[in-house]
Structure formats: C-alpha cells, structure tokens
Amino acid sequence: MHLLDMSRVNLLFCLLSLRVFHLCHCLENDCGYSYEPNGADFEQNAMDTCLDDQNFNDFGSSLIQDIYSSVKKAECDLANPSDYPPHYQTRDGEKFDFIIIGSGSAGAVIANRLSENSEWKILLLEAGGDPTKSTEVPAFYGFLQKSILDWQYQTDSEGDNCLGMVNNSCYWPRGKVLGGSSTINGNIYVRGNPKDFNDWHAKGNYGWAYKDILPYFKKSEDIKAKEVLSNLNYTNYHGENGYLSVDTWSDHGIKDIVDAFSGGMKELGYDVNTDCNGESQMGFVKMQGTILGGKRCSTAKAFLNPVKNRPNLKVSKISLATKILFHGNLKVAYGVKYLDRHGNELRAITKKEIIISAGTINSPQLLMLSGIGPKAHLESLGIKVINDLQVGENLQDHLLMAGLLFSYNYTRDIKPLTDYMYEFLTTNSSRLSGIGTLGYAPFINTFNNMFTLPDIQIHQYDFDINDTFALDNLIKMFGIRDEIGKLYHEVNTKRAISFVMPTLLKPASRGQILLKSRNPHDKPRIISGYLSSDRDMNTFLRAIDFISKLAKTESMKKLDTQLHEIAPPACEAYPLSSEEFRKCALKHLTTTSYHPTSTCKMGLMGDQSAVVNPRLLVNGVKHLRVADASIMPTIIRGNTNAATIMIGEKAADLIKADWSPH
C-alpha cells in the first residue's frame, strides 16, 4: 500500500489534510468531547476560505459542504469517547464486591458478565485509556505498536535468538488501553484445535475439554461471515446472539495472490477451508476476524460499550495496579493498591474477590510484586513471600520466521491513502477495512498432509512494488537491524512481495517472566526461550522446505513467484538454502507473533508447576483468581485472542457459581 502517495490534490486535501481546525470544530460542537488544536495560521486561513464559500448561493459549494459534513460526522463517530464507560475516580478505601485488574480480552468480558447482577458493585482497573481513532481501522494495526497504547516490551538478549534484531532483543507489543491487546492486534479470530482443550482436560483440568468450552465460544459470538453462514451445520460451532461480531474481511486487490496460493496449496494436498473454527482447522484458510461493519470490534467495543451506563460498573482508567493486599498471615486477598491518573496511591477493597486479567506478562508481574511467586526469586529482591508458586514459568509463544519472501510479477491499481480513508469513513469499506493477505493462512502438518493436527500456520504480509513506507514500518515493528532491513527493500524495489512467515504452533521451548526490581514501573524481564529445543528448529526447517515447494507449484508460477531467503551478514558464510544457513537465519530472524501464554499455569493442586486450579483460583490463597491467556497450561494451535475471550466467559460463570446464593 503506497501510504505516502499524496500527489493528487483533490477535495480530500481540503477536507482531511487541514484536519486541525475541522477536528476542533467537529469535536467541540458535534461530538460532545473536547480537542485542543495546534494548527498553523495557514491551516486556519485556508479553512476560513473553505468556509467562506458557504456564503454564496452556489450549488458546487453546497455540494462540497454536504461531503464535508458526511466526513465530519463519520470522523466524530470514530472512537468517540462516549462509546466507552466514563472514568470513575475511586475514594481511598472504597469497597467493591469484585475488583477486576485489566480490561483486555478477558477482563472486559468478565466486567460485562458480573455486572449483570445489579446487586454487585464492580471496579474495573485499566492501566491505559480509551481507544484512539486509528484503532478502528483494521489496516492500521501495525501503526498501533510502539504507540502510547502499547506496553512496548522487549525480550532479554539470550545469545541464541533474536540476533537480527536491534540489541539482540525481540519486540513484544501488548495492549495498554481499554480492550487490551484486542484493541491493537490484527483482529484475527482463531479458536485453536479441539485437541488443545482436550489435552488440558486430560491433564486434570476438568471442565476445559472442547465439549465444555465450545458453548462459551458460541456464547460470545455474533457470526456474520457469509462463508460460514453458507454451511448447513454452522450452528454446531457458531453463535449468533453474542456481543462479539465475527466476520471475514473484504478482499481488496489481492485476488490474484490468493488464487495462486490456494491453487498451490491444492497441488500440495491441502484444500481451501472457509471455517477453521468449524469441523477442521487444516488447509488454506480464509480466516475470520473481530470485525463490525468494516471496523475493529475489540472487547472494549463488544463488551464494555453495551454496558457503559450500568450504575454498578465502575471503570478507573489510567490506573496502574501495583500490589494485591493480604490480611496478615491468613493469605486472604482483601484489596488492591494502585496509582491513579494523577499519581496518587489508593486502595480499593473487595468484599468478595479480586480477578487479575492483566495478561501473560502483567499478571505474573503483579502476583510477584505482591509476594506470590518463586520463593528464591522474590527473596532475592526483598519481597515478602506470601506463597511459593511457579509464577512466570512455563512461558510459551508462537514464534515466526520473518526471513522468507515471495516476490511476484504482479501489479495492482493504487490510490492515494486519502482516497482509501475517504471510502473507509463514508462506506466502512475500503482497502483500510482489510488486512490484506494476513486474512488468509495455510495450516499445515510438516510431516504429512494427511494428519489432522497442524504444527505450522503461515502468516503473510503483502506489499506493492517499492512500497517503501509500509515495508519500512513492518521492519521497524519487528525491530530488524538496518543492515538486514535493506535486504527486504532490495527485493521490493522492482517486484511486489509477501512476507511468508511460518509460525510454530506447538513450541517445545519454554521461557519465563522475572521481576527486575520491586518497582512496579520497571518492566519485567522477558526470557523468551526461543529455539531452546531442537524440536522447534527441526519443525521450522521442514516448514521452509514446504514453502520452497509451494513457490515451485504451477499455480504460483503463474505470477512468476520467486522465493527469497534473507541472508543476515553473520549467515553469509554458509551456502544459501543449506541447513546450516537456515539454522543461522532462524536464530537471527525468528520473532514473536504476539501470542505469549501460560505464565500462570492452570493445573491440579498436586501439580507443582500450577499457579491456579481449574476454577482459576490462585493456589494456596483465598479470594484471588487469574483469568487471561496466562492460565493456559499449553498454548493453543492458532491466534490466542478468541480463546482468551472464551476464558473470560467461563471465568465469569465460575465466579457467579461461587458467589451466587442459589
């Protein structure tokens, strides 16, 4: 996408590039919230000139004003703060029935479901604020990373992974905003494989088998994807009355690439699959996304917006939880200490329980700061130990290989970004409403295409010829070193390209989260553990072989497809495409696909590695629960957001069952 093609001077220049005055006028008079302008005198004078045209009885001016008004209204409707619950300023020591920490993919769901009981007073603490306008635009997900909506985590330098990244460290974005990572992610809705949940059950996590959790997936969902609705048995797998809108993206200009991929996959034994959340996960999948009318449907929009006016739900924004409070030696949680938006330290008291839904990184961090974690680690930092549990261990992630490119003899019509944005605002449908080829993914088994369990998912990013700006943004998003980044640009200079990124679905490698200090403002240490298992390296090598075969299929040849293996300087000593070269490239160019899990592992009481039991209660203490992706015993096969929402739904029912009189 040529994001800097602004050469055409048209109506949109008057309407959108002089936005400061427009936005001030719009937001103060029509949107009901304030905006402080910071524009130049030129912008003010130019806008005055535009507005002066209204004084003439001129048909053209009237028509332009109608267009302006429609754009203005659409902009006002985009991420309007009134769409979300208002900020609530608590009083120190104020009491609530339940305190939920984190409004992300699980926390927003729990807040919605618990507040259904009007007799319960709920406090939802969120470290971030409201979503911004960019969060509404599916195609802009990459620009939300390294923004104020992102915790901006980095992994530790470990010496044998992330070697092609700046400071030998992989970048890990996590949402710091209402809706959490569901507000900044790629919107992809993949539930995982039924065997993932059956394996949880087999390890003693009763109530978490696929048959048990499928109703919770369906409960959340409002399925709108026409490809799914055309299946006669779709109601066996999908719901139609939930808060979460699930749809498929429109394909804007990618049909030729999609056809080549689907044809090539068929030649290699894989069919097109229009519902990886249905009967089978395998094949070339047209994926579903959390989409509502062409815009993002985060859990903030899906679950908090409909209940924003419930008087018993209080949402405290820009409020950082720093410690869980316990009664003496009783190991009974009774409150939360947190910093409000003004930096004041306050306490919120619970009459029933506290639910931590802060995510795979922040949940273990908060537990350890509160004295729940590995004894030796906490004592080394001078933290009083409440309970010795393996908090922060068992870290798992879907790592992907970012060093493979397909290039094509392929071009498509390109419009200026202003045109796409105008279409998005006025029709909710444009190239900005989609995520390109990322909306499709092969799910394969690298041993045998007849196996029904995938071990690799292949993510794709597509770029037009010489798409310098967008490509550079992705390279910086990954944190790839400049001397390696230029190699991607060299390929893209003359040909359209796709990043073809094999993603490891069931890693054997394990990492951990550790505290750096007792200061809650210090980001924790993230030891990814990437490629610490030879099994993971070998799976990647088989996946690269598969991608090499895909490039050579007759269907891919129709676009003159070529495979390019990016060669970091440290790997040039090895013959290109050799096993030694590919192992070296993997150590340099594997990174996160943004799916960390499992740092507060769910398991039976006898499991020494478990942090919570199957009811998600923290082992050895009372009135404290964890409900987010951190409780997964093992990572699922596929993007983790959908399963985290399911965890929120099930957690809410567990809490209701424990505290409802009947």
Side-chain angles (χ1 to χ4, degrees), residues 106 163 175 177 198 226 293 375 382 402 462 488 539 564 630:
L163 299 181
V177 59
N198 290 337
K226 62 181 184 297
K375 181 179 180 181
D462 61 293
Y488 298 84
T539 303
H564 305 264
S630 71

Side-chain angles (χ1 to χ4, degrees), residues 426-473:
T426 56
T427 69
N428 291 340
S429 178
S430 80
R431 193 167 170 180
L432 301 185
S433 302
I435 56 174
T437 55
L438 190 62
Y440 290 83
F443 284 83
I444 65 171
N445 186 289
T446 57
F447 283 108
N448 191 323
N449 62 13
M450 299 301 292
F451 290 175
T452 58
L453 286 173
D455 57 3
I456 286 286
Q457 175 182 356
I458 303 175
H459 288 97
Q460 309 163 69
Y461 291 117
D462 61 293
F463 297 89
D464 297 309
I465 296 174
N466 202 29
D467 196 352
T468 305
F469 179 75
L471 177 57
D472 199 47
N473 179 72

Side-chain angles (χ1 to χ4, degrees), residues 300-576:
K301 180 183 289 186
F303 291 92
L304 295 181
N305 171 275
V307 300
K308 62 185 178 181
N309 295 320
R310 281 182 182 167
N312 63 328
L313 175 60
K314 310 298 183 183
V315 181
S316 184
K317 306 172 191 177
I318 315 180
S319 299
L320 177 66
T322 60
K323 190 175 184 179
I324 305 299
L325 302 173
F326 292 91
H327 282 300
N329 295 320
L330 299 178
K331 298 186 179 182
V332 177
Y334 74 89
V336 178
K337 188 182 293 184
Y338 74 96
L339 299 173
D340 71 5
R341 60 176 56 203
H342 306 294
N344 300 315
E345 187 174 81
L346 301 174
R347 295 169 306 132
I349 309 302
T350 181
K351 294 186 285 185
K352 290 184 170 62
E353 71 173 61
I354 298 163
I355 304 102
I356 302 177
S357 296
T360 294
I361 300 172
N362 296 78
S363 288
Q365 180 189 23
L366 180 59
L367 284 172
M368 287 188 284
L369 287 170
S370 307
I372 299 177
K375 181 179 180 181
H377 177 54
L378 299 187
E379 289 181 339
S380 72
L381 295 172
I383 296 174
K384 179 184 176 182
V385 179
I386 301 296
N387 209 31
D388 180 11
L389 295 174
Q390 295 303 299
V391 173
E393 302 292 335
N394 196 45
L395 174 63
Q396 298 164 51
D397 186 25
H398 293 142
L399 63 158
L400 58 78
M401 168 55 166
L404 303 175
L405 303 179
F406 280 173
S407 71
Y408 315 99
N409 182 16
Y410 169 72
T411 59
R412 56 182 169 184
D413 293 334
I414 305 298
K415 299 179 183 179
L417 179 61
T418 47
D419 284 14
Y420 290 125
M421 192 66 194
Y422 178 73
E423 292 173 6
F424 179 83
L425 288 171
T426 56
T427 69
N428 291 340
S429 178
S430 80
R431 193 167 170 180
L432 301 185
S433 302
I435 56 174
T437 55
L438 190 62
Y440 290 83
F443 284 83
I444 65 171
N445 186 289
T446 57
F447 283 108
N448 191 323
N449 62 13
M450 299 301 292
F451 290 175
T452 58
L453 286 173
D455 57 3
I456 286 286
Q457 175 182 356
I458 303 175
H459 288 97
Q460 309 163 69
Y461 291 117
D462 61 293
F463 297 89
D464 297 309
I465 296 174
N466 202 29
D467 196 352
T468 305
F469 179 75
L471 177 57
D472 199 47
N473 179 72
L474 180 64
I475 291 169
K476 290 179 178 177
M477 186 175 82
F478 282 143
I480 296 172
R481 297 177 187 271
D482 290 343
E483 67 271 21
I484 301 175
K486 70 178 183 180
L487 303 176
Y488 298 84
H489 285 286
E490 289 173 2
V491 179
N492 186 226
T493 299
K494 296 181 180 180
R495 288 166 66 89
I497 64 170
S498 291
F499 277 60
V500 184
M501 300 177 292
T503 305
L504 190 65
L505 292 180
K506 295 299 287 186
S509 301
R510 297 290 186 268
Q512 63 182 154
I513 303 292
L514 295 170
L515 296 179
K516 286 182 181 176
S517 75
R518 291 182 294 175
N519 186 343
H521 291 291
D522 285 347
K523 294 178 181 177
R525 294 180 57 198
I526 302 173
I527 301 170
S528 72
Y530 287 161
L531 300 175
S532 55
S533 167
D534 289 340
R535 194 182 86 183
D536 293 347
M537 182 74 78
N538 292 332
T539 303
F540 269 124
L541 292 175
R542 294 194 303 274
I544 296 171
D545 284 340
F546 177 89
I547 290 169
S548 299
K549 294 175 183 176
L550 178 62
K552 297 173 184 177
T553 59
E554 294 302 316
S555 294
M556 296 300 291
K557 285 180 181 178
K558 292 177 182 178
L559 294 182
D560 186 28
T561 301
Q562 297 177 23
L563 173 64
H564 305 264
E565 298 188 49
I566 298 298
C571 304
E572 291 177 349
Y574 305 109
L576 188 69

Side-chain angles (χ1 to χ4, degrees), residues 84-306:
Y84 303 103
H87 170 69
Y88 180 77
Q89 182 63 51
T90 66
R91 303 182 306 276
D92 187 36
E94 188 171 355
K95 294 182 179 181
F96 301 86
D97 290 285
F98 297 97
I99 301 171
I100 305 164
I101 300 170
S103 71
S105 298
V109 178
I110 296 169
N112 176 301
R113 299 302 188 185
L114 294 188
S115 62
E116 290 171 348
N117 186 334
S118 61
E119 296 181 0
W120 287 344
K121 184 180 178 183
I122 316 296
L123 174 64
L124 177 60
L125 291 174
E126 169 53 49
D130 291 330
T132 63
K133 294 186 184 299
S134 291
T135 66
E136 295 269 31
V137 186
F140 286 175
Y141 65 93
F143 296 96
L144 301 172
Q145 297 180 21
K146 301 188 178 180
S147 74
I148 60 170
L149 309 182
D150 178 9
W151 284 96
Q152 303 186 36
Y153 291 118
Q154 296 281 159
T155 65
D156 279 20
S157 176
E158 298 169 49
D160 56 0
N161 59 49
C162 303
L163 299 181
M165 312 303 173
V166 175
N167 297 323
N168 295 347
S169 169
C170 282
Y171 183 71
W172 277 25
R174 294 284 87 196
K176 187 180 182 182
V177 59
L178 288 184
S181 294
S182 77
T183 301
I184 70 168
N185 65 10
N187 299 100
I188 296 171
Y189 185 84
V190 177
R191 295 175 178 175
N193 194 280
K195 188 177 188 306
D196 299 330
F197 307 105
N198 290 337
D199 286 347
W200 293 3
H201 178 84
K203 295 293 186 180
N205 293 293
Y206 305 121
W208 292 88
Y210 180 67
K211 66 178 178 60
D212 300 314
I213 55 88
L214 178 59
Y216 289 109
F217 281 119
K218 295 171 68 174
K219 180 179 181 180
S220 285
E221 189 180 35
D222 180 13
I223 186 67
K224 298 178 182 296
K226 62 181 184 297
E227 296 88 355
V228 175
L229 296 175
S230 64
N231 296 331
L232 295 178
N233 65 341
Y234 77 90
T235 55
N236 292 341
Y237 301 97
H238 294 278
E240 298 179 279
N241 300 307
Y243 286 105
L244 186 72
S245 175
V246 176
D247 206 341
T248 46
W249 295 273
S250 299
D251 296 338
H252 291 270
I254 61 173
K255 184 179 185 301
D256 289 346
I257 295 177
V258 170
D259 287 348
F261 262 90
S262 61
M265 289 290 294
K266 193 172 185 66
E267 291 178 48
L268 296 178
Y270 291 94
D271 291 328
V272 172
N273 181 355
T274 57
D275 186 10
C276 68
N277 299 314
E279 293 181 7
S280 172
Q281 192 180 14
M282 298 290 284
F284 182 65
V285 174
K286 182 177 176 64
M287 293 193 290
Q288 300 150 29
T290 50
I291 302 295
L292 179 61
K295 299 175 184 177
R296 176 187 297 276
C297 187
S298 67
T299 56
K301 180 183 289 186
F303 291 92
L304 295 181
N305 171 275

